[in-house]
């Protein structure tokens, strides 16, 4: 098998996949995904919603036997919590994934984009070493909660790519005039009044605010390529480059978090906002997590007055 | 920091091939496409008819011509996509890594509220704080997604099964002699300047 010409595309591709880094970003991603998966399996356990949707005793008369269903749900809760704590490594992620796939195929109409995001994230956590640091696995292996152990960076790159694909594809496919100036940016006006999505009566909400939020969402999704460009600049361009000086990636992420929070407050979309924001953890390099932690710890540490010593 | 692992050459090659193949395969599925856009149900929904009428007004073309242009293109696009994706369908199915990101692509300007009357009194009505019988189940986050589809078109089988379950629950709570009436209130969601909508309760099922 050819190994590729040095400096050629194939060799550069392999070099990119061979990169290693410490595991902070993947660990944070793992914790967020674990909470989202826990939401996905634990919330339906309330009020018999799970049996109603997924058991053969439910309204559809098809699905799992009710007792088996309850055991599978409990297994999902245990594996999600294991994922959050970082115990069991890839096995926890794989078990959670299988539980999620089972439920999402049982009643596709009761499944949504957040389920796809959780499943895809869990696959990456099966492939990645996400418990190298900030995990119980790390504590048991090394005696410390953190470790400098290097892990493959490519799962984080794939997570970034998935985030880009998701936003860019959904932005391009928002073809209703209500998303655009042609429809007066009125999409959110109708969404918050749709009975099944509304969180509360939105009559008090000014029209201009829904227009602002619609335009903000639509433009920002269409501009998903911006964060990919910003990450490329961080890798290939000097720190003095304008995209790095103003940290274009963090600006894009801050805008996204704002838009997701507006949607979260105004609508009931399940864990969509959280399942999307979990992927943001991969936008920052582990070194940036370390630097951020050092800055935070420095601020929290009580300052010593030299005169008192 | 710890030393990076030394990997075998064949593994490096294989990993590069598999990851590239994965990106290509998911990229093809995620590529924007109006899936479901050519079906009769979608074409005839008031929201889509409204979009065609708007496009006709903007372009000056007759509505029938806009319709033929739009849906002719949509059908060709979907057919081509289907052919391209067919070889990879087992991968999407078994890996469970679907890339369908059509989120609120078309705004539905109609709302659908499920209404349940028990012995002549309103027991449940979607998003109605005064009528909450079994609301914790029917309005659970996952069921919202399933019920909202009634605003687009009726999934007759699903609606019948949901109604049968509601009747069983009413019998369990109120006894064998209970009278139940179930229907879906459908109305246009008014725009900022529009008057309150006329609500019609259709698809009635009674016991």
């Amino acid at each position: 098998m050819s190994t590729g010409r040095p400096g050629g595309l194939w060799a550069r591709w392999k070099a990119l996949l061979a990169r290693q880094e410490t595991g902070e970003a993947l660990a944070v991603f793992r914790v967020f995904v674990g909470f989202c998966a826990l939401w996905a399996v634990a919330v339906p356990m309330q009020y018999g919603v799970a049996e109603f949707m997924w058991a053969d005793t439910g309204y559809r008369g098809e699905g799992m036997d009710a007792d088996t269903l309850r055991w599978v749900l409990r297994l999902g809760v245990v594996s999600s919590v294991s994922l959050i704590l970082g115990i069991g490594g890839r096995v926890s992620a794989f078990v959670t994934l299988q539980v999620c796939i089972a439920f999402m195929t049982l009643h596709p109409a009761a499944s949504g984009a957040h389920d796809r995001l959780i499943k895809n994230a869990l696959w990456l956590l099966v492939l990645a070493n996400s418990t190298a640091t900030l995990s119980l696995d790390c504590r048991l292996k090394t005696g410390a909660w953190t470790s400098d152990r290097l892990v493959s960076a490519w799962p984080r790159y794939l997570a970034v790519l998935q985030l880009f694909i998701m936003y860019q594809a959904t932005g391009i496919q928002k073809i209703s005039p209500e998303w655009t100036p042609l429809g007066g940016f009125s999409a959110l006006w109708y969404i918050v009044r749709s009975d099944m999505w509304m969180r509360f009566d939105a009559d008090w909400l000014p029209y201009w605010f829904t227009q602002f939020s619609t335009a903000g969402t639509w433009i920002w999704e269409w501009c998903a390529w911006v964060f990919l460009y910003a990450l490329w600049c961080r890798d290939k361009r000097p720190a003095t480059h304008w995209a790095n000086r103003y940290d274009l990636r963090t600006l894009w992420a801050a805008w996204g978090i704002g838009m997701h929070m507006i949607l979260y407050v105004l609508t009931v979309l399940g864990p969509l906002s959280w399942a999307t924001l979990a992927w943001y953890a991969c936008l920052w390099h582990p070194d940036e997590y370390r630097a951020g932690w050092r800055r935070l710890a420095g601020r929290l540490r009580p300052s010593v007055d030299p005169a008192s010593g | 920091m710890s030393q990076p692992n030394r990997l075998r050459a064949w593994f490096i090659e294989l990993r590069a091939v598999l990851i590239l193949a994965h990106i290509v395969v998911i990229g093809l599925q995620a590529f924007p496409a109006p899936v479901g856009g050519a079906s009769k149900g979608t074409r005839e929904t008031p929201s889509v008819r409204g979009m065609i009428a708007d496009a006709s007004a903007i372009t000056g073309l007759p509505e029938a011509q806009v319709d033929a242009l739009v849906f002719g293109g949509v059908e060709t696009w979907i057919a081509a996509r289907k052919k391209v994706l067919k070889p990879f369908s087992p991968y999407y199915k078994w890996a469970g890594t679907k890339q369908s990101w059509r989120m609120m692509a078309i705004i539905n300007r109609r709302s659908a509220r499920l209404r349940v009357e028990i012995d002549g009194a309103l027991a449940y009505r979607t998003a109605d704080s005064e009528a909450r019988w079994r609301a914790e189940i029917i309005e659970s986050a996952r069921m919202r997604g399933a019920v909202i589809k009634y605003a687009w078109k009726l999934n007759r089988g699903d609606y019948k099964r949901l109604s049968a379950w509601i009747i069983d629950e009413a019998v369990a709570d109120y006894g064998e002699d209970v009278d139940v009436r179930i229907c879906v209130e459908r109305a246009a969601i008014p725009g900022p300047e529009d008057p309150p909508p006329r609500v019609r309760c259709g698809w009635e099922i009674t016991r």
Side-chain angles (χ1 to χ4, degrees):
Chain A
M1 197 183 278
S2 163
T3 54
R5 182 170 52 84
L9 268 180
W10 188 244
R12 272 156 52 193
W13 173 240
K14 284 191 299 183
L16 182 74
L17 298 179
R19 285 189 189 181
Q20 296 205 308
E21 59 190 22
T22 52
E24 288 81 359
L26 284 172
V28 174
F29 181 51
R30 182 199 78 228
V31 172
F32 282 136
V33 173
F35 275 113
C36 293
L38 182 63
W39 186 99
V41 292
V43 169
M45 289 168 88
Q46 287 182 301
Y47 311 116
V49 171
E51 288 84 352
F52 170 73
M53 283 187 307
W54 295 322
D56 53 7
T57 51
Y59 85 99
R60 295 159 68 242
E62 56 187 76
M64 272 187 204
D65 163 70
D67 283 334
T68 314
L69 175 74
R70 279 189 281 272
W71 277 108
V72 176
L73 281 168
R74 283 176 204 141
L75 179 67
V77 169
V78 171
S79 60
S80 309
V81 172
S82 304
L83 206 58
I84 294 165
L85 298 175
I87 189 160
R90 294 175 163 97
V91 176
S92 301
F94 188 73
V95 172
T96 315
L97 173 69
Q98 293 308 313
V99 171
C100 289
I101 289 179
F103 293 137
M104 291 155 203
T105 15
L106 277 176
H107 189 354
S111 179
H114 55 83
D115 291 323
R116 287 191 290 280
L117 283 167
I118 293 171
K119 275 193 300 186
N120 293 355
L122 286 167
W123 259 127
L124 284 182
L125 291 173
V126 171
L127 298 171
N129 182 354
S130 66
T131 55
T133 186
L134 299 170
S135 68
L136 213 54
D137 275 351
C138 174
R139 173 83 180 164
L140 293 171
K141 272 184 198 154
T142 67
W145 288 103
T146 57
S147 158
D148 288 342
R149 195 172 155 207
L150 297 177
V151 299
S152 290
W154 62 263
R156 188 172 71 84
Y157 299 158
L158 277 188
V160 168
L161 185 69
Q162 174 68 85
L163 193 64
F164 162 73
I165 286 176
M166 190 269 290
Y167 277 134
Q168 199 67 67
T170 193
I172 292 171
Q173 290 176 108
K174 281 187 168 47
I175 54 166
S176 244
E178 290 87 353
W179 284 108
T180 69
L182 287 175
F185 290 121
S186 58
L188 209 65
W189 170 272
Y190 295 102
I191 290 168
V192 298
R193 282 166 178 76
S194 173
D195 296 308
M196 277 296 166
W197 283 331
M198 64 157 70
R199 189 178 287 282
F200 41 71
D201 194 346
D203 282 346
W204 54 273
L205 206 63
Y207 183 45
W208 65 263
F209 182 78
T210 57
Q211 286 180 300
F212 164 78
S213 305
T214 304
T217 305
W218 186 64
I219 293 166
W220 168 76
E221 285 179 350
W222 265 93
C223 293
W225 57 271
V226 168
F227 85 77
L228 220 51
Y229 171 70
L231 286 171
W232 180 80
C233 286
R234 292 192 82 79
D235 196 42
K236 300 285 181 197
R237 290 285 173 266
T240 49
H241 188 275
W242 70 272
N244 296 334
R245 230 176 31 243
Y246 297 109
D247 195 354
L248 188 60
R249 165 214 43 190
T250 303
L251 288 175
W252 184 90
W255 188 353
I257 292 167
M259 289 299 133
H260 275 289
M261 288 303 101
I262 289 174
L263 262 185
Y264 180 77
V265 170
L266 297 178
T267 59
V268 178
L269 293 171
L272 180 67
S273 291
W274 307 117
T276 312
L277 293 177
W279 295 78
Y280 282 43
C282 294
L283 291 176
W284 288 273
H285 190 277
D287 289 348
E288 294 177 284
Y289 279 96
R290 290 177 164 231
W293 175 249
R294 276 195 298 272
R295 273 200 303 274
L296 185 69
R299 278 186 201 159
L300 294 176
R301 198 175 297 134
S303 55
V304 181
D305 183 359
S308 68
Chain B
M1 283 189 191
S2 56
Q3 289 299 305
N5 295 328
R6 296 188 70 80
L7 299 170
R8 288 173 188 274
W10 67 265
F11 178 79
I12 292 170
E13 294 289 335
L14 182 66
R15 179 176 67 184
V17 170
L18 289 178
I19 295 174
L20 185 64
H22 172 74
I23 291 172
V24 170
V25 170
I26 64 160
L28 284 172
Q29 203 191 31
F31 196 79
V35 175
S39 70
K40 200 181 168 201
T42 308
R43 286 174 82 149
E44 298 308 322
T45 53
S47 299
V48 173
R49 293 323 309 167
M51 280 171 64
I52 296 292
D54 288 348
S56 166
I58 291 164
T59 57
L61 293 171
E63 227 176 286
Q65 201 177 337
V66 174
D67 188 280
L69 273 172
V70 170
F71 290 106
V74 165
E75 278 167 13
T76 312
W77 189 346
I78 290 173
R81 181 179 186 270
K82 203 172 168 183
K83 268 190 184 163
V84 172
L85 296 187
K86 199 177 175 191
F88 310 116
S89 55
Y91 183 72
Y92 302 129
K93 186 182 173 189
W94 294 108
T97 55
K98 278 198 176 167
Q99 298 285 330
S100 165
W101 307 117
R102 284 171 289 280
M103 292 189 267
M104 296 178 181
I106 292 176
I107 297 299
N108 194 343
R109 294 198 194 180
R110 297 182 73 77
S111 70
R113 288 186 173 199
L114 189 68
R115 182 185 177 95
V116 180
E117 291 170 15
I118 297 177
D119 288 334
L122 180 63
Y124 169 79
R125 187 164 166 264
T126 306
D128 188 333
S129 57
E130 305 290 314
R132 308 305 296 152
W133 183 78
R134 294 291 189 273
E136 69 279 4
I137 293 180
I138 300 170
E139 287 184 22
S140 61
R142 284 192 176 278
M143 275 310 291
R144 280 174 178 245
V147 176
I148 200 168
K149 290 186 169 64
Y150 299 151
W152 288 96
K153 58 176 181 174
L154 183 66
N155 178 340
R156 207 168 284 277
D158 196 66
Y159 178 64
K160 276 185 180 170
R161 286 193 289 262
L162 180 62
S163 301
W165 176 84
I166 288 170
I167 289 169
D168 287 347
E169 292 289 298
V171 169
D173 281 10
Y174 297 92
E176 274 298 328
D177 297 333
V178 70
D179 291 329
V180 185
R181 177 177 176 257
I182 303 161
C183 62
V184 177
E185 292 180 356
R186 298 211 315 164
I189 301 172
E193 308 292 330
D194 297 341
R198 202 163 61 89
V199 181
R200 285 186 312 155
C201 209
W203 309 324
E204 187 176 285
I205 290 180
T206 54
R207 177 196 191 262

